[in-house]
Amino acid sequence: MTGVPVTISSRTAVALASPPAPAESSRIASGPLVDRFGRVHRDLRISLTDRCSLRCTYCMPEQGNEWLARTSILTVDEIVRIAGVAAAAGISTFRLTGGEPLLRRDIVDVVRRLAALRGPDGTPVELAMTTNGIRLPELLPELVDAGLARLNISIDTLRRDRFAELTRRDRLDDVLAGIRAAQAAGLRPLKLNAVAMRGVNDDELVELVEFAMAHDAQMRFIEQMPLDAGHTWDRAQMVTRDEMLDTLGRRFALTPVPGRGGAPAERWEIDGGPHTVGVIASVTAPFCGACDRMRLTADGQFRNCLFSNQEYDLLPVLREGAGGGTDGAVDDVLRSCIAGKLPGHAINDPSFLQPARGMNAIGG
């Protein structure tokens, strides 16, 4: 089978592709996932849900959210099947995202089954998660036992009133408790993510770095991207990479860390180390040339770029007939998605169109 790209033309619905034509063989294609520009793909972000316990202003509206139909959400078996095919094709890192992945009632089972996957050479895959941290105190022991290896926790501010305004929820204490639980669990590197916003939290950059260092974590600042569900992104409100570094450089001595590879964040040693700070500058300093990531949405759509307006629908493959299509058919859709990847996201091109889906529906 070959995957059929779906162009998303509406925020209210995501069109589904017609089922691909039958394959001549169910054998999974061999070889790494290499696109037309020579980029080898090793990282798959798996969104488990579009729902979240917060309502961050740069991601979701407070009310009137158009949730994915529950019948379209991938089951654990479907997630593990797709991930198994991806692992066989060379994907070595899986990151669980959302929405908020810890809202899945079966999250421990998802982690346990994915952590058991092996690559073509028998090497275990690495399993990471991006979360708001709210449910970590109750779930983290089980998640670590199940095989979770790394955590990214989102925290945009340390000030209670500001947190409530940004997230529309008074849950700062819960997030801080989650960070403490992650620190105590010993998962390293522990990363804390903050979207830098002009006039909102750009006066807290140094404070956030100091907080991260006190919790043996790496602070990472993210340029605000055009991924909000309300499509209200304003470039003028974005704090740029250079502005962040200028602010941090007035307090700390920053030394670039070499060997970034395909990582989204540039890193700098703080005052000679060992602590580091990262900046993800998708808008002003794109890293598309080294991108090794692809995404799977909670409703079974492959995406080859966070900013893409095309998706590759797996649901017809997974659910056709009584038992679904073959693993070879899943692999074909995966490879079609990689083959369709563009050289870059073109945010800075006048022709750029913001994705129809918001970040919570795409997966962080």
Side-chain angles (χ1 to χ4, degrees), residues 107-353:
I107 183 60
V108 175
D109 189 34
V110 172
V111 169
R112 180 174 293 110
R113 294 180 63 183
L114 290 180
L117 296 175
R118 299 291 185 270
D121 62 355
T123 302
V125 302
E126 183 177 51
L127 194 61
M129 181 185 294
T130 296
T131 172
N132 62 30
I134 288 176
R135 297 194 67 202
L136 283 179
E138 63 178 292
L139 291 173
L140 193 51
E142 288 183 89
L143 293 171
V144 172
D145 183 66
L148 183 67
R150 291 193 289 115
L151 274 173
N152 288 16
I153 303 176
S154 300
I155 180 163
D156 296 312
T157 178
L158 298 170
R159 303 179 189 180
R160 184 179 306 280
D161 57 341
R162 187 173 286 177
F163 184 93
E165 184 177 356
L166 262 174
T167 68
R168 304 181 178 107
R169 301 290 187 271
D170 186 13
R171 304 296 299 270
L172 178 60
D173 286 344
D174 297 320
V175 174
L176 295 177
I179 292 172
R180 290 192 296 270
Q183 179 187 9
L187 297 183
R188 299 295 186 273
L190 172 61
K191 300 175 182 178
L192 306 183
N193 294 343
V195 177
M197 292 162 279
R198 191 178 309 283
V200 178
N201 66 347
D202 53 342
D203 59 343
E204 287 188 74
L205 302 189
V206 169
E207 186 178 352
L208 283 163
V209 170
E210 291 174 338
F211 172 84
M213 291 193 293
H215 290 78
D216 196 23
Q218 176 197 129
M219 194 68 224
R220 306 198 314 170
F221 296 108
I222 304 169
E223 288 184 339
Q224 189 173 1
M225 296 175 283
L227 291 168
D228 60 301
H231 289 216
T232 60
W233 179 76
D234 181 358
R235 182 183 293 268
Q237 296 303 309
M238 180 189 70
V239 182
T240 68
R241 167 191 179 274
D242 290 347
E243 290 174 307
M244 296 179 207
L245 293 177
D246 181 64
T247 296
L248 296 175
R250 291 197 294 269
R251 170 62 178 81
F252 308 109
L254 302 179
T255 305
V257 176
R260 176 182 179 182
E266 298 176 85
R267 291 189 302 136
W268 286 264
E269 280 189 350
I270 300 171
D271 294 336
H275 295 292
T276 61
V277 63
V279 175
I280 300 175
S282 298
V283 179
T284 65
F287 42 90
C288 303
C291 180
D292 64 353
R293 292 169 298 287
M294 60 183 307
R295 285 174 163 76
L296 175 66
T297 67
D299 58 345
Q301 311 294 314
F302 269 139
R303 297 176 64 91
N304 54 35
C305 177
L306 179 60
F307 301 97
S308 178
N309 273 294
Q310 286 191 332
E311 297 181 335
Y312 294 73
D313 191 10
L314 277 167
L315 288 186
V317 175
L318 294 170
R319 298 179 180 179
E320 67 178 17
T326 65
D327 285 354
V330 174
D331 184 78
D332 284 344
V333 178
L334 171 61
R335 293 178 186 277
S336 293
C337 180
I338 293 297
K341 189 165 184 172
L342 299 175
H345 54 50
I347 285 179
N348 297 304
D349 189 284
S351 64
F352 174 77
L353 294 176

